[in-house]
Amino acid sequence: MNFILFPFKLIYKIYFLLYFVLTLILFYPLFYFFLAKKERFPKAFKIIRVYAKVWLYGSGIYLRVKGKENILRDQPFLICSNHTSFLDPAPLYAIFDQHFVFTGKKEIEKWPLFHIFYTSGMNILVDRHNRVGALKSFMKMKDVIDEGNPLVILPEGTIPPHAPKLGEFKAGAVSIAIQMGIPILPVTQTTNWRRLQRASLFKGNACPGVAEVVIHPPISTEGLTKQDTEALQEKLKEVINQPLKQKYGV
């Protein structure tokens, strides 16, 4: 079966890559202008939301969202999603209309074109291998929360090779939530690994279809301290894993 499907997967991957690059180039002048100054960031966010939808729907990927009623409004909170595909940021931009700030690994600053979303200053790059850099990133995250905006952190940090099975959760996400006293909104993306799996051009899943996103009830951090970090981290991982366990038994 895989042998029969291989040409279709390859054609779709090539199409997806070309479509992504072409649309990014088309939108790039807008990104360049609106990401140039902080006061333009809210408008840049709206343009990124449009771009995310163009990227998804033009690739034949359609959203199915469960739990929209759990989205918090008019307050800072932490959005924590699993990470199974390079697609994962796009559904979050398409779903959440409140201006949020995304965190990403420092390596992104080397990615052609795409790096503008982080090197402009609107989103935050985190260098986990540099304590001084990590502290600076934390202070930027604190500023985001103090300004009343949600913050997005993918606790796994990178796409695990065995996705959809969850990778190890880093403690940084829940630590920030506890220190800042903000709720955590767990999100599970269940099918992105089927739409575009992290693999070489000739390997891995790739096909159009549904991107299913489950938004769970928020987890309060009220009254929690540093000693509760490990327990909260396990709770967060368990909540995010529930739909994956039901769907795939992982």
Side-chain angles (χ1 to χ4, degrees), residues 67-80 95-100 148-151 177 181-187 215-221:
K68 262 192 173 183
E69 66 278 5
N70 294 319
I71 296 177
L72 299 168
R73 296 287 178 185
D74 303 319
Q75 67 174 96
F77 57 96
L78 186 64
I79 301 169
C80 285
I95 293 167
F96 291 88
D97 57 10
Q98 183 177 347
H99 182 192
F100 62 69
N149 295 317
L151 186 68
I182 58 174
I184 300 173
L185 190 68
V187 175
I215 302 171
H216 303 273
I219 301 173
S220 174
T221 62

Side-chain angles (χ1 to χ4, degrees), residues 53-66:
K53 294 175 183 178
V54 169
W55 177 21
L56 288 171
Y57 299 142
S59 301
I61 298 171
Y62 301 91
L63 290 174
R64 181 189 296 153
V65 185
K66 300 179 181 178

